[in-house]
Amino acid sequence: MSERGASSLGWRGAWRLARRGLDWKFRGLRLLVVCLVLGTAALAAIGTLTHAVGDELGQRGQAMLGGDVEVELATRQAFAAELAAFRRAGTLSTGARLRAMAVVPGGDGRAVPVELKAVDGAWPLYGTFTLADGRRAGAPPADTAWIASGVAERLGVAPGGRLHIGNATFRIGGVIADEPDRLGEGFALGPTVIIGTAGLETTGLVQPGAMVRWKYRLRLPQAAQPQAVADGLKRAFPEAGLELRTRDKASPGLDRFVSRMGQFLGLVALAALLIAGIGIGNGVSSYLEARRGSIATLKILGATGGDVARVFLLQLAVAAVLAIAIGLMLGVAATPLVAMALDGLLPVKQGLALAPAALAIAALQGLLIALTFAAPPLLRARSVPAMALMRAGLVVPREGWRLRVLVMAAGLAAIAGIAIATAQQPLLAAEFLGAAGAVMLLLAGLGRALVWVAARLPRPRSPIARMALGNLHRPGAQTGALVTALGFGLSAFVLLAGIETSLDANIAARVPDRAPDYFVLDVPPAALPAFERVVHGAAPQARIRSVPAMRGAIVAFGPSTHMIRVADLVKIPDDAWALRGDRGLTFSAAVPEGNVVTAGRWWRADYAGEPLVSVDEQLAKAIGLKLGDRLNVSLLGVERSASVASFRRIDWDSYGFNYVLVFSPQALDGAPYNLAATIELGKGEKTEGVARQILSGLVRAMPSSSVIEVGPVLSQARAILGQMAIAIFAAASVAILAGLAVLAGAIAAARERRQYDAVVLRVLGAGTGQLLALVLLEQLWLAGLLAGVALALGTAGAWAVVTQLFEFAWLPGWGTILAVLGGGLAVVLAMALGGSLGVLRTRPAQALREL
């Protein structure tokens, strides 16, 4: 009977047959269920976590910022007109943040660099500040300080003790437990000490040119719009260098980090789900192969190919929906565990969180993956004649391949389209998916090539070894699919291990060699000789470098006839980060150390003409700056203009003073400034005693100066990298698990063939040991292939990221990389052997009776 002339069951009739034939224990469909659960759970967990962090940032925006609007000024306080405008907008809280040195009066001379935060009586405008003893507090009295636990530990002090900062001595009133606006303050270069604004005046730290950041926080009336208020202040004082933030962007850097990290992890999980799709396709093929008798019977009784496809599509849809639901629940349940791993790095409330949009996207992607990879075997079953089904297995017909390819292409395009459309950075998402697709195609090609090579390798003399090698390329072998699925996951592990160990080695070995041991800020120019005496008295071999240091903001740039005002820019490009807020400024008669002039000319040492400026070449490229253009900066509320004389390439790896803008010496005449200095200790001088002598000596000689210790900053950076690595490895683990699911499906699909082989070998006299050796050798052949592929692709990718993206030296930890790869391969071997042991217990007599 032709399919055109046959009557169709329709969806209702197909559902009746599907429901009757569906095994509610999902035998035969468990591989599909496992793969979908894994991929959907990963997408749901990452989407929920990203939403939870974003939601928390939104809810805690006021507390994190310390107000509805924050106005920040560098090195100067607000003028009277500016203060009046702030007060008209809402309730004002004034504060300051700077670096200082804390020491115990009459102690052993130990000094600790701290982040000094001064607050007024209105602080905090939002949120609650609490101390370790449970007290809620605000600004401390003028003679009191709240200290972070790090200060207490390093100086051995406790509440009731004394702390000397600058020219003032403070009583320690308590240890900080929760500082509501801490996340909005950004990266800290030392533990925090909080004092009142009245106490700040007594320290003597606020001097002309001192690196003080003044913060003016506003609590607005309920009907006021923060962005409108910020825009109004920017229009009222366009040249004042105001750095404005609103409660919905309390921490722009953290917002960008969360968005990009969440997008990256989501794309990794989506790639893992695509790997799981291979397992879904294999699982559906095995499921339909096991039911070829039922398919043949339906077709002989008059069912059309469309009827067959509908019946089994409905069965697969039921299993897929159930698997997706389980995956969504597991993803939501896993979110608190991921949040615990990232504690301190991201603001997340403890407990479960729901993100309907993220869960809907995860469910839709999971369903599309299931349908896309299940479509080819369904279409094959639809087009195979009944007699072919009765005679043999589910043979693949040559006709109809275009339709299968078209359906697969349409499904993959839809999956990629959704991922790109819902991404914060569509271009980055498209590039990632393109790269992941290219890697999968490469792995698929490598899998085919390895099968081809295996078929042409010299035959081993041992029959067992010869059969093990033959199993890799025999008809129906899953070698190509396994290389693609497991190779992707193992390559990802090797890639991440290579990147992490290389970056860590660069930080551990390269940074200390090139970075100074201390950065010293706010050294008065007249006190430079005294500063050098203190340092060389403690460390005679120390190398000191000092430069003038100021803070200012770029307010305009471009040709003099039509300059672009930064305040008028709708969006600042990422590469033009120097346009955001104030930046370090300096002047120099000579080209700074570690800089190379790439365009234009440097001014003469005795130059006394019009103000000139040299600009970082990357910034110039990002904003389209040309030689001869003008660049205006706001310095202490005064706008100054200079002509662009040259562009420089900056060696950021020098870890010294690298300024985006360097002016000619007379360009900043009249502006107060201090010096910033670096100290590089000689060999044998990097001891605790020398450090204590330098820090205590600087506190006594120059109490207004502050020191940044490089070691603790690097430790903090390493801790952050470690937390990020945990999250990335967790996402990459899903790819490994998906690959293992594909392996389990391949073992199940080949079970009947392996049982047949085992029976034949036993009849010919093979023992259990020989059969076990056959299985072990086959898996060792596969493991060797996977190891070579993963090591080559993973290390190549890691090398590209480390050397080309980060521009660091390639310093991989081969021991860690091989251990990670070996661990993954051990899991693969264990699972493969465990899945094959059942075949070894097959009894020949029973198997022959069932033929």
Side-chain angles (χ1 to χ4, degrees):
M1 181 183 295
S2 69
E3 204 165 291
R4 181 174 297 177
S7 60
S8 174
L9 288 172
W11 286 103
R12 181 175 296 179
W15 170 242
R16 285 198 301 269
L17 289 176
R19 187 178 55 193
R20 291 172 185 170
L22 186 63
D23 180 358
W24 291 100
K25 292 183 180 180
F26 296 104
R27 292 188 181 92
L29 290 176
R30 289 172 184 169
L31 179 59
L32 178 145
V33 171
V34 170
C35 289
L36 275 181
V37 166
L38 284 173
T40 308
L43 282 175
I46 292 166
T48 302
L49 178 65
T50 304
H51 179 274
V53 174
D55 191 52
E56 188 72 4
L57 287 174
Q59 292 181 7
R60 289 172 54 183
Q62 290 174 319
M64 287 175 55
L65 186 65
D68 296 303
V69 176
E70 180 191 78
V71 185
E72 188 171 320
L73 289 166
T75 68
R76 75 170 180 90
Q77 299 186 56
F79 299 138
E82 295 166 342
L83 283 174
F86 299 162
R87 292 192 175 100
R88 286 195 300 271
T91 304
L92 176 64
S93 174
T94 302
R97 196 171 184 92
L98 65 157
R99 293 168 186 89
M101 299 292 294
V103 65
V104 179
D108 58 3
R110 278 186 297 173
V112 173
V114 298
E115 289 271 346
L116 187 62
K117 178 176 179 176
V119 295
D120 66 2
W123 179 85
L125 293 175
Y126 293 101
T128 303
F129 175 75
T130 57
L131 298 169
D133 57 10
R135 284 182 293 156
R136 296 185 176 185
D143 64 343
T144 303
W146 313 128
I147 66 171
S149 58
V151 178
E153 292 168 2
R154 294 189 63 181
L155 290 179
V157 294
R162 297 281 173 177
L163 204 63
H164 192 77
I165 300 175
N167 297 324
T169 301
F170 298 89
R171 183 182 66 84
I172 300 172
V175 176
I176 300 169
D178 184 24
E179 185 183 351
D181 53 356
R182 179 68 199 88
L183 275 175
E185 299 283 8
F187 191 81
L189 296 175
T192 302
V193 173
I194 299 177
I195 60 175
T197 50
L200 179 62
E201 296 177 5
T202 65
T203 63
L205 297 177
V206 181
Q207 301 292 334
M211 296 294 181
V212 183
R213 303 184 70 84
W214 294 92
K215 296 174 180 283
Y216 301 88
R217 277 101 176 239
L218 303 175
R219 182 171 60 200
L220 304 179
Q222 189 171 1
Q225 294 297 319
Q227 192 59 53
V229 172
D231 292 341
L233 291 173
K234 189 181 293 185
R235 287 192 300 269
F237 307 100
E239 301 176 3
L242 305 182
E243 188 174 343
L244 292 143
R245 288 192 291 167
T246 58
R247 67 191 181 203
D248 58 335
K249 295 181 180 177
S251 182
L254 184 58
D255 284 342
R256 287 192 295 271
F257 170 77
V258 170
S259 173
R260 293 179 182 181
M261 190 70 173
Q263 180 175 325
F264 172 73
L265 293 177
L267 291 171
V268 171
L270 181 59
L273 187 56
L274 288 170
I275 290 294
I278 299 173
I280 291 171
N282 290 341
V284 172
S285 294
S286 298
Y287 181 73
L288 295 176
E289 169 70 17
R291 282 150 185 79
R292 64 178 182 267
S294 299
I295 296 173
T297 302
L298 285 172
K299 288 196 171 187
I300 290 172
L301 293 176
T304 66
D307 292 332
V308 171
R310 277 189 287 271
V311 169
F312 288 100
L313 177 61
L314 288 171
Q315 291 183 352
L316 297 175
V318 171
V321 169
L322 178 63
I324 290 170
I326 295 173
L328 294 179
M329 289 187 288
L330 289 177
V332 172
T335 303
L337 301 177
V338 180
M340 288 174 60
L342 299 176
D343 185 39
L345 182 62
L346 299 176
V348 188
K349 280 185 179 179
Q350 298 299 320
L352 296 176
L354 290 177
L359 296 178
I361 291 172
L364 180 59
Q365 292 284 46
L367 188 59
L368 281 173
I369 290 284
L371 293 176
T372 298
F373 285 88
L378 281 173
L379 291 173
R380 288 197 297 267
R382 178 180 182 274
S383 58
V384 174
M387 294 310 296
L389 287 166
M390 295 296 288
R391 283 196 302 267
L394 206 57
V395 295
V396 181
R398 293 184 178 181
E399 63 275 7
W401 66 268
R402 289 185 179 87
L403 178 61
R404 293 195 292 273
V405 171
L406 182 62
V407 170
M408 281 282 292
L412 292 174
I415 293 164
I418 293 172
I420 294 170
T422 56
Q424 294 289 334
Q425 293 180 295
L427 181 60
L428 179 64
E431 290 175 349
F432 180 93
L433 289 174
V439 169
M440 289 184 189
L441 288 175
L442 177 62
L443 286 169
L446 284 174
R448 288 179 175 272
L450 291 173
V451 170
W452 185 87
V453 170
R456 286 157 179 81
L457 285 175
R459 294 294 175 262
R461 291 185 177 181
S462 168
I464 298 297
R466 188 164 57 250
M467 292 183 65
L469 181 61
N471 284 343
L472 295 178
H473 61 80
R474 67 188 295 179
Q478 296 290 317
T479 306
L482 291 176
V483 169
T484 303
L486 290 171
F488 186 88
L490 291 172
S491 297
F493 264 28
V494 171
L495 171 74
L496 295 174
I499 293 173
E500 185 185 15
T501 57
S502 193
L503 290 180
D504 192 60
N506 273 277
I507 293 174
R510 184 180 178 189
V511 173
D513 288 342
R514 303 193 65 181
D517 297 281
Y518 300 97
F519 286 91
V520 186
L521 306 178
D522 294 329
V523 178
L528 183 59
F531 170 78
E532 292 175 340
R533 283 196 299 272
V534 169
V535 174
H536 286 141
Q541 301 176 42
R543 179 173 179 262
I544 299 173
R545 179 189 171 202
S546 62
V547 296
M550 292 164 276
R551 303 289 295 185
I554 300 173
V555 294
F557 60 90
S560 57
T561 54
H562 50 279
M563 297 185 71
I564 299 171
R565 306 293 300 185
V566 175
D568 296 334
L569 293 175
V570 176
K571 183 179 179 181
I572 295 176
D574 287 343
D575 291 340
W577 51 269
L579 300 184
R580 296 189 181 97
D582 62 280
R583 296 293 160 194
L585 307 177
T586 190
F587 58 84
S588 176
V591 179
E593 183 180 337
N595 289 213
V596 177
V597 175
T598 57
R601 297 179 61 185
W602 197 263
W603 44 81
R604 300 187 310 272
D606 58 350
Y607 177 78
E610 69 163 328
L612 301 176
V613 63
S614 179
V615 183
D616 169 36
E617 65 176 2
Q618 293 181 348
L619 173 63
K621 182 179 179 181
I623 62 178
L625 206 60
K626 301 291 190 295
L627 293 175
D629 285 351
R630 306 292 298 182
L631 190 141
N632 293 5
V633 296
S634 175
L635 182 61
L636 296 175
V638 178
E639 187 166 334
R640 296 169 180 260
S641 183
S643 176
V644 177
S646 65
F647 299 141
R648 290 168 294 117
R649 182 172 62 250
I650 300 174
D651 179 13
W652 297 104
D653 290 347
S654 65
Y655 303 102
F657 290 113
N658 292 309
Y659 287 88
V660 172
L661 304 179
V662 178
F663 290 85
S664 55
Q666 88 296 349
L668 304 178
D669 279 347
Y673 69 91
N674 283 325
L675 299 176
T678 59
I679 303 173
E680 297 179 40
L681 301 178
K683 293 182 179 179
E685 294 179 339
K686 298 183 181 184
T687 64
E688 185 177 347
V690 170
R692 183 178 301 180
Q693 190 175 349
I694 290 176
L695 295 178
S696 61
L698 291 177
V699 168
R700 290 192 299 269
M702 286 166 290
S704 63
S705 299
S706 58
V707 179
I708 299 172
E709 296 177 289
V710 174
V713 174
L714 294 179
S715 297
Q716 189 175 356
R718 278 181 171 177
I720 293 174
L721 285 174
Q723 287 180 301
M724 291 171 59
I726 291 172
I728 295 172
F729 267 103
S733 297
V734 180
I736 284 289
L737 293 174
L740 292 175
V742 175
L743 175 62
I747 293 171
R751 186 178 184 85
E752 183 177 346
R753 188 199 73 205
R754 289 182 179 276
Q755 284 180 335
Y756 178 83
D757 291 345
V759 168
V760 172
L761 289 173
R762 281 193 181 277
V763 169
L764 294 175
T768 301
Q770 289 176 304
L771 294 178
L772 182 61
L774 172 62
V775 172
L776 182 60
L777 279 174
E778 180 182 348
Q779 301 308 323
L780 285 175
W781 278 111
L782 179 61
L785 295 175
L786 288 173
V789 169
L791 196 59
L793 287 180
T795 53
W799 174 86
V801 170
V802 171
T803 61
Q804 305 303 310
L805 181 61
F806 293 115
E807 296 184 351
F808 281 176
W810 175 236
L811 301 173
W814 289 110
T816 302
I817 292 174
L818 294 177
V820 168
L821 179 59
L825 290 173
V827 173
V828 171
L829 281 173
M831 187 168 181
L833 289 173
S836 301
L837 289 178
V839 176
L840 303 181
R841 292 193 292 267
T842 302
R843 295 181 179 180
Q846 180 181 353
L848 291 172
R849 282 196 298 270
E850 294 174 356
L851 289 178

